[in-house]
Amino acid sequence: MEVGKMTVSINKAINAQEVAVKEKHARTCILGTHHERGAHTFWSAVNRLPLSSNAVLCWKFCHVFHKLLRDGHPNVLKDSMRYKSELADMSRMWGHLSEGYGQLCSIYLKLLRTKMEFHTKNPRFPGNLQMSDRQLDETGENDVNNFFQLTVEMFDYLECELNLFQTVFNSLDMSRSVSVTATGQCRLAPLIQVTLDCSHLYDYTVKLLFKLHSCLPADTLQGHRDRFLEQFKKLKDLFYRSSNLQYFKRLIQIPQLPENPPNFLRASALSEHISPVVVIPVEASSPDSEPIMDLVEMETSSQQSLFDNKFDDLFGSAFSNDPFNFNNQNGMSKDDKDQLIEQLQREIGDLKEELKNFKAESHRLVVQLKGRISELEAELAEQLHLKQQALDESDFLRTELDELKKRHEDTEKAQRSLTEIERKAQATEQRYTKLKEKYSELVQNHADLLRKNAEVTKQVTAARQVQGDVERDKKELEDSFHRLSEQAQRKTQEQADILEALRRELVASKQELQVLRSAAESSAQSEVEHSAQLAGLQEERASLASAVAQREQQMAALQAEVQQLKATLEREKQEGGQAVEELQSRLGEEESNRQAFQQQLLDKQFALLQSALGEAEQMVRDALNRLDDPAHVSCTSSADYLLSRTQAAAESTERLQEARGQYLSDQSDVSGLLSSVASFAHLIGDTILQASATSHMAPMEPADLLLEACRHCGGETLSYLGALKDKASLESADCTAVRDCLGRITAIGEELRPKGLDIKQEELGDLVDKEMAATAAAIEAAGTRIEEMLSKSQAGDTGVQLEVNKRILGSCTGLMQAIQVLVLASKDLQREIVESGRGAASPKEFYARNSRWTEGLISASKAVGWGATVMVDAADLVVQGKGKFEELMVCSHEIAASTAQLVAASKVKADKDSANLGKLQAASRGVNQATAGVVASTKSSKLQIEEKDSMDFSAITLTQIKRQEMDSQVRVLELESQLQKERQRLGELRKKHYELAGVAEGWDENGADLAP
């Protein structure tokens, strides 16, 4: 695709007419990005458009750019990231306009920046957001933190889409059929892309929330569920309103969302979820060309009137009726007036004739020049096309050559396959040649059409520019005459300068010649000096030759001495060899005796080990036999003691394995293995007996599993001890099976271990009342502190600070009152639950029997009291000017989460028709509203303080501004680095919070309860 064609399509798609973008122009832009593998041409064309001064132009740019991000080449995102800051500035600029397209452009630009940031952070998501379930699972990399963060980013993304949807609908008068008007379609057209994005984001959000609910507690995801419910209601309403518009009915089939949102607390609801699918029908073919108005005749017909009215345009209509005020003159005869009029009319006719000839000549020159320019442009375009075609052909042939080489290497052993490949290659080349010829014909036809179109366009524009061109050509001729005069003077001056430069070069050449002559004389002198040096070197060479002869004589004498030393060394070597052989024979005898003694010692030690192993086997068998002993049935034990014995047995197993390895490496020391065997047998037997005793107090099914695990552990232990008794199998003996059996016993013991053992069961009821009372006291104390701070602020602060303090402390007081109402409602509901569920038992027994629920109430009460205390401290610091508004907002959110946890823990066992439950839910809504009030008042107070402390740059110099600008940039980089580190720390804290919450709830390492 030619760059010029893509540029024309971009300019046609993004124009100032308030009509919808034509699909064929947008499609050409998308194909262009795939052809050039990027968006350089798009941005080069867009940068020339006045997007900041025309709102309709900016709106249509956003529509086309959205299409490119969805359906264009993947490199469109990379090429567009450098313009992200410009889009942000443009969004802020259009945001100041509250009417027309200004607010729409601001929100659309914010959506596009959000989409770019989302795809940059999550490069696995394509621009059109189409992914399979397996690819969606791979994006999280099996990490719940990644899925958590991805869900938050999708909520933000979908929020921007819904804001644009809602803003477009609010800007239209829905009482009229706006979807059939051109202006209405211009605003509604981008919503097709928004609908496609929203359907995918809704589907992925539902699937991710189900996945998060399978890994995390439901209370932790309460905020996610609330935010999803809000977006679900908005999206459902917008889809319903869009499906009733006539404009969308023929372009897109909008899906309908279910009546009720998915229930994430029920895992089986995922199978009921149906992914919404947006269907785009096959588009009707649109005409490739549009009618062009023939403006030539219209312009030609109007030229005569323009020429006739030239005098009126220059001197005015009143002057043409009475040019020289003849009717009002006195003392001039009528004949003189007529003669003067005739004379002036003749002069005007001459001037008009001269002007017409000049215009005709100018028009002829302009047409010739423009024709020449068009020819040159066509030749340049043809050359560029031929160059690109040659490059493409070279790349294609290179690719074909590589492919043929690979095929030749793969089929080198089969000659018949090679022949087939060559035939296919020839067919491919012929097909490519035909396609190239056809493409050349199409290119030539296209060039002819472009040339004809350019000629027509030039004819139309030439007629419009004739009048201006005449004046401009006249000025250009005068300027050309002045330029020629100046050029002539300049050339004369240049020739004089050149002549002077030649003279200076001649003088320089003479000086260089003189230098060369002096250099030649000096070289002759140096040659004589070299001859003298050569003679001295020859004498030195003779002296060196005599020294070498003396060295050779000394070398010969040294070689004779070396021969004598070698003979002496050979004799001493033979004598030493004989002595060594005698010593080796004696050493061999001593070594055989030592090995025989050591073997006897090893045999005795192994016999001792076998006896110890036999005793250990007897201890294990005795423990197994006692499992069926009726006298042992009355023995009982606790799961905690069983776990301690199992842990000791596991450690003993590891010590036995280490002692076996040490014995295999050094069999001379068997003491460590003997002590480990004794300890191992004792602890295994004790574990079997304690497990049997624990099973007597356990339910039937866990008891049977525990006895079976004990028998299996005893059998594996006997097999392992038997392997240790045999020398052949000692090295390959493995205690993995024993370790697995102990792990199985440990798992069953953990299941039998009662939960919440850190608190005695009889104390649970009292502890619930204490914690609820402590929570109420903490809230009352917080309210008292807030009233004291308000009184202190009224006495010491004035103006804006007093107003801010009143607003913040008032909202905090309202929140404390709402929490107090919530705690009272929770107490009433708990009292009702206990009375209805305890039966004949006491309240303490009811709390002990429902220990997990009771511990949840205690934890929620502590969280509410702690949150109230922390928020009061934060408010105190803010009032004093030492705290941060953000800390106060976070504390309010934390209190809302804690109260939500208390509500959830209170209504778990409540009757759904209970009046107290209704009061509790109403109190919960009141807490949420009060929390929102605290956040809102805090934000408004922060803005008011920031407006009060506005910056004043009136007295700063340019150097100071530059310095402060550099300091501000450094501060921005530091804050960005701190923000990144703080986000990583937040992720780690959340991960640790999930782990601790899982431990408190009795999960295993994988986040699920242990199976029986």
Side-chain angles (χ1 to χ4, degrees):
M1 181 182 293
E2 296 181 358
V3 176
K5 183 177 180 181
M6 183 177 177
T7 305
V8 171
S9 299
I10 294 172
N11 292 328
K12 288 183 177 180
I14 307 174
N15 53 45
Q17 298 179 2
E18 194 173 358
V19 296
V21 177
K22 290 189 176 181
E23 188 64 27
K24 63 178 182 179
H25 300 323
R27 191 184 302 112
T28 304
C29 297
I30 293 172
L31 294 176
T33 61
H34 285 282
H35 183 268
E36 69 172 357
R37 295 185 177 89
H40 298 291
T41 304
F42 172 76
W43 283 108
S44 63
V46 168
N47 288 333
R48 293 192 292 268
L49 299 176
L51 301 180
S52 300
S53 59
N54 193 317
V56 177
L57 202 68
C58 184
W59 175 255
K60 300 178 79 171
F61 155 74
C62 294
H63 185 190
V64 176
F65 185 40
H66 195 174
K67 281 180 169 287
L68 294 185
L69 289 177
R70 279 186 52 83
D71 303 325
H73 194 272
N75 289 337
V76 171
L77 178 62
K78 299 179 182 177
D79 297 339
S80 304
M81 287 304 295
R82 70 184 66 176
Y83 303 99
K84 182 181 174 184
S85 59
E86 298 179 7
L87 297 179
D89 296 338
M90 199 182 304
S91 174
R92 286 193 295 270
M93 187 272 292
W94 285 118
H96 295 296
L97 299 180
S98 59
E99 297 180 356
Y101 282 90
Q103 197 68 24
L104 295 177
C105 292
S106 177
I107 296 176
Y108 207 165
L109 289 168
K110 181 181 179 181
L111 168 60
L112 294 176
R113 289 190 290 110
T114 304
K115 183 177 182 65
M116 294 167 65
E117 293 173 355
F118 177 81
H119 289 288
T120 302
K121 294 180 181 178
N122 305 281
R124 296 190 181 184
F125 281 86
N128 55 11
L129 295 174
Q130 294 180 359
M131 296 182 70
S132 62
D133 292 343
R134 181 179 60 83
Q135 292 173 336
L136 183 62
D137 292 337
E138 291 176 354
T139 56
E141 299 177 354
N142 295 326
D143 189 350
V144 68
N145 291 313
N146 294 340
F147 285 118
F148 191 95
Q149 184 64 28
L150 180 59
T151 307
V152 174
E153 294 174 358
M154 283 191 175
F155 279 144
D156 297 338
Y157 191 177
L158 185 57
E159 187 70 27
C160 293
E161 302 274 5
L162 295 177
N163 287 340
L164 179 61
F165 226 130
Q166 188 66 42
T167 307
V168 172
F169 277 169
N170 293 338
S171 67
L172 297 175
D173 186 4
M174 304 305 292
S175 63
R176 299 185 294 108
S177 300
V178 294
S179 64
V180 298
T181 63
T183 57
Q185 292 178 2
C186 181
R187 300 191 182 193
L188 293 173
L191 297 186
I192 296 177
Q193 309 299 318
V194 175
T195 303
L196 292 171
D197 288 344
C198 289
S199 63
H200 292 298
L201 291 174
Y202 168 77
D203 183 31
Y204 299 154
T205 304
V206 172
K207 294 176 180 177
L208 289 175
L209 283 177
F210 273 112
K211 183 179 290 294
L212 288 174
H213 277 79
S214 65
C215 301
L216 299 177
D219 295 340
T220 305
L221 299 173
Q222 181 64 41
H224 278 48
R225 291 196 299 274
D226 295 342
R227 193 173 184 186
F228 173 80
L229 181 60
E230 180 184 357
Q231 293 185 353
F232 174 81
K233 293 178 181 177
K234 290 183 181 179
L235 185 61
K236 182 179 177 181
D237 178 63
L238 293 174
F239 275 6
Y240 176 75
R241 295 172 65 184
S242 302
S243 61
N244 295 329
L245 293 178
Q246 188 66 31
Y247 176 69
F248 288 121
K249 289 183 178 179
R250 64 183 181 85
L251 295 178
I252 188 172
Q253 181 177 347
I254 300 176
Q256 295 299 324
L257 298 184
E259 185 66 23
N260 298 317
N263 185 7
F264 298 109
L265 301 179
R266 184 167 57 89
S268 59
L270 179 59
S271 59
E272 303 172 2
H273 170 66
I274 300 176
S275 301
V277 179
V278 180
V279 180
I280 299 179
V282 180
E283 297 177 356
S285 60
S286 59
D288 294 335
S289 61
E290 300 177 354
I292 302 174
M293 296 180 61
D294 189 3
L295 300 177
V296 178
E297 296 180 0
M298 297 171 59
E299 196 67 28
T300 304
S301 62
S302 61
Q303 283 182 4
Q304 186 63 35
S305 62
L306 290 173
F307 293 154
D308 294 340
N309 295 331
K310 180 67 177 178
F311 186 86
D312 297 341
D313 295 339
L314 295 175
F315 299 101
S317 59
F319 194 83
S320 64
N321 295 330
D322 191 4
F324 297 99
N325 198 15
F326 288 148
N327 296 330
N328 296 328
Q329 287 183 356
N330 296 323
M332 183 176 289
S333 64
K334 187 175 182 180
D335 294 337
D336 295 337
K337 294 180 180 178
D338 294 338
Q339 292 177 0
L340 184 57
I341 290 172
E342 291 176 357
Q343 181 179 355
L344 291 174
Q345 287 180 348
R346 286 194 300 270
E347 291 180 359
I348 291 172
D350 296 338
L351 290 173
K352 286 185 177 180
E353 186 67 24
E354 183 179 356
L355 181 62
K356 187 183 296 184
N357 294 334
F358 188 73
K359 287 182 179 180
E361 182 66 21
S362 301
H363 178 68
R364 185 180 61 80
L365 292 174
V366 169
V367 170
Q368 290 180 356
L369 291 175
K370 291 186 176 179
R372 181 57 180 167
I373 292 173
S374 300
E375 292 177 359
L376 293 175
E377 290 179 349
E379 292 179 1
L380 179 60
E382 185 175 0
Q383 293 294 331
L384 292 175
H385 175 69
L386 292 175
K387 179 182 177 182
Q388 184 64 32
Q389 184 177 358
L391 292 174
D392 295 341
E393 183 178 359
S394 175
D395 294 339
F396 180 79
L397 292 176
R398 190 179 297 108
T399 305
E400 288 290 330
L401 181 60
D402 295 339
E403 186 176 345
L404 289 174
K405 287 181 179 180
K406 292 179 181 178
R407 291 180 181 177
H408 178 71
E409 293 175 357
D410 295 338
T411 60
E412 189 174 4
K413 298 180 180 179
Q415 186 65 29
R416 186 171 53 188
S417 299
L418 179 61
T419 305
E420 182 68 19
I421 289 174
E422 291 177 352
R423 186 180 63 78
K424 289 182 180 180
Q426 293 176 359
T428 303
E429 290 181 359
Q430 293 176 0
R431 186 164 58 255
Y432 171 72
T433 304
K434 293 179 182 179
L435 290 174
K436 186 173 68 174
E437 293 175 355
K438 185 66 176 176
Y439 180 73
S440 300
E441 293 176 1
L442 292 174
V443 170
Q444 186 63 33
N445 294 333
H446 183 65
D448 295 338
L449 291 175
L450 288 177
R451 194 176 298 110
K452 292 179 181 179
N453 187 20
E455 291 175 359
V456 173
T457 304
K458 287 194 289 288
Q459 292 176 2
V460 173
T461 55
R464 295 175 179 176
Q465 298 177 355
V466 167
Q467 183 175 356
D469 290 344
V470 171
E471 298 295 334
R472 190 164 50 254
D473 292 339
K474 183 177 179 180
K475 293 180 180 180
E476 289 179 355
L477 290 174
E478 294 177 356
D479 295 339
S480 301
F481 177 74
H482 291 300
R483 284 197 300 271
L484 289 174
S485 301
E486 294 176 356
Q487 289 178 359
Q489 295 177 0
R490 195 181 302 112
K491 287 182 179 180
T492 304
Q493 184 65 30
E494 289 177 354
Q495 290 177 357
D497 295 339
I498 292 171
L499 181 60
E500 183 65 25
L502 291 175
R503 290 176 182 174
R504 288 196 296 270
E505 288 180 0
L506 179 60
V507 174
S509 299
K510 290 180 179 180
Q511 293 177 355
E512 289 179 359
L513 180 61
Q514 186 66 27
V515 170
L516 290 174
R517 288 176 179 175
S518 61
E521 294 176 356
S522 62
S523 61
Q525 295 177 359
S526 62
E527 185 176 358
V528 175
E529 295 176 355
H530 289 164
S531 299
Q533 293 178 359
L534 182 60
L537 291 174
Q538 288 178 353
E539 294 177 357
E540 187 176 356
R541 178 183 178 185
S543 62
L544 290 174
S546 61
V548 167
Q550 294 177 1
R551 293 292 182 183
E552 288 177 351
Q553 293 176 1
Q554 295 176 0
M555 184 66 71
L558 292 174
Q559 286 178 354
E561 293 179 1
V562 168
Q563 292 296 333
Q564 293 177 0
L565 291 174
K566 283 183 178 180
T568 304
L569 182 61
E570 189 66 22
R571 288 193 302 269
E572 292 179 355
K573 187 177 182 181
Q574 292 177 359
E575 294 174 356
Q578 294 175 358
V580 168
E581 289 175 356
E582 293 176 358
L583 293 174
Q584 285 180 351
S585 62
R586 294 179 183 176
L587 184 60
E589 293 175 358
E590 293 292 334
E591 183 67 19
S592 61
N593 294 333
R594 188 184 64 80
Q595 290 179 356
F597 178 78
Q598 187 175 6
Q599 186 62 36
Q600 293 177 1
L601 182 60
L602 292 176
D603 293 340
K604 291 180 181 180
Q605 289 181 350
F606 190 76
L608 183 61
L609 176 61
Q610 286 180 333
S611 63
L613 290 170
E615 188 66 20
E617 289 177 350
Q618 184 60 33
M619 293 172 65
V620 175
R621 288 192 185 96
D622 181 67
L624 292 175
N625 293 333
R626 292 182 64 182
L627 293 178
D628 300 327
D629 188 2
H632 185 64
V633 175
S634 61
C635 297
T636 58
S637 180
S638 66
D640 284 341
Y641 187 72
L642 173 60
L643 292 175
S644 64
R645 294 291 87 195
T646 307
Q647 180 67 26
E651 293 174 357
S652 176
T653 304
E654 297 296 333
R655 290 196 298 269
L656 178 59
Q657 190 71 3
E658 293 175 359
R660 184 188 67 87
Q662 294 176 0
Y663 175 74
L664 290 176
S665 60
D666 184 13
Q667 296 184 0
S668 61
D669 185 14
V670 75
S671 59
L673 185 55
L674 290 174
S675 61
S676 298
V677 167
S679 175
F680 172 76
H682 169 71
L683 291 174
I684 289 293
D686 191 15
T687 300
I688 294 173
L689 292 176
Q690 295 301 326
S692 176
T694 304
S695 66
H696 298 159
M697 297 292 293
M700 183 176 295
E701 184 178 357
D704 294 337
L705 291 174
L706 188 57
L707 288 175
E708 183 183 354
C710 291
R711 291 189 175 91
H712 187 57
C713 181
E716 293 295 337
T717 303
L718 292 175
S719 300
Y720 179 60
L721 293 175
L724 293 177
K725 288 176 66 176
D726 190 4
K727 265 191 175 181
S729 60
L730 177 60
E731 186 172 358
S732 60
D734 189 11
C735 64
T736 303
V738 179
R739 192 183 299 114
D740 294 338
C741 292
L742 292 174
R744 180 63 175 166
I745 294 173
T746 302
I748 299 174
E750 288 287 349
E751 289 182 356
L752 296 176
R753 186 181 183 184
K755 305 299 182 182
L757 291 177
D758 53 342
I759 303 173
K760 294 182 179 181
Q761 304 228 341
E762 58 271 13
E763 296 177 358
L764 281 175
D766 296 335
L767 188 58
V768 170
D769 297 336
K770 290 180 182 178
E771 287 299 333
M772 294 299 292
T775 301
I779 294 171
E780 185 176 357
T784 304
R785 284 189 60 190
I786 291 174
E787 292 178 357
E788 293 175 357
M789 287 187 289
L790 182 58
S791 301
K792 185 177 180 181
S793 177
Q794 290 176 349
D797 297 329
T798 58
V800 176
Q801 187 64 37
L802 179 59
E803 181 182 355
V804 168
N805 294 344
K806 283 184 178 180
R807 189 185 302 119
I808 293 176
L809 295 177
S811 61
C812 291
T813 304
L815 179 58
M816 290 297 111
Q817 294 174 354
I819 295 173
Q820 194 170 12
V821 173
L822 178 71
V823 172
L824 294 176
S826 177
K827 284 183 178 181
D828 295 338
L829 181 60
Q830 291 170 26
R831 190 178 302 108
E832 179 184 340
I833 292 171
V834 173
E835 291 298 329
S836 62
R838 68 186 180 91
S842 64
K844 292 184 179 181
E845 292 176 351
F846 177 84
Y847 283 124
R849 188 169 62 248
N850 300 276
S851 59
R852 293 290 295 277
W853 175 70
T854 305
E855 291 174 358
L857 287 177
I858 294 171
S859 176
S861 300
K862 289 182 178 179
V864 171
W866 175 83
T869 304
V870 173
M871 194 191 76
V872 170
D873 294 338
D876 190 9
L877 292 176
V878 169
V879 169
Q880 294 177 8
K882 302 177 182 179
K884 297 181 180 179
F885 291 96
E886 291 80 4
E887 184 177 358
L888 187 58
M889 289 189 283
V890 171
C891 290
S892 61
H893 285 302
E894 187 66 27
I895 289 179
S898 301
T899 53
Q901 181 183 355
L902 180 60
V903 171
S906 298
K907 71 179 184 180
V908 166
K909 293 184 176 294
D911 187 6
K912 63 179 181 180
D913 297 329
S914 174
N916 289 323
L917 178 59
K919 293 180 180 179
L920 181 63
Q921 291 176 344
S924 177
R925 288 191 292 270
V927 170
N928 291 334
Q929 293 176 0
T931 302
V934 171
V935 174
S937 62
T938 304
K939 287 183 178 179
S940 62
S941 300
K942 181 181 177 182
L943 292 176
Q944 190 171 2
I945 293 297
E946 289 177 351
E947 291 177 358
K948 175 184 175 183
D949 299 335
S950 60
M951 294 176 287
D952 184 14
F953 300 111
S954 58
I956 302 179
T957 62
L958 177 61
T959 305
Q960 292 175 346
I961 288 178
K962 187 64 178 177
R963 179 60 183 175
Q964 293 186 9
E965 180 182 355
M966 294 175 62
D967 294 340
S968 179
Q969 291 176 354
V970 172
R971 180 61 178 165
V972 167
L973 294 176
E974 291 176 352
L975 291 176
E976 289 177 350
S977 176
Q978 293 177 5
L979 177 60
Q980 185 67 23
K981 293 179 181 178
E982 198 64 28
R983 283 178 174 169
Q984 294 177 357
R985 182 171 178 268
L986 177 59
E988 294 297 329
L989 288 174
R990 284 178 175 172
K991 185 175 181 182
K992 189 63 178 177
H993 175 261
Y994 301 151
E995 294 176 358
L996 295 177
V999 172
E1001 294 295 333
W1003 302 345
D1004 62 358
E1005 293 179 355
N1006 295 326
D1009 290 341
L1010 290 170

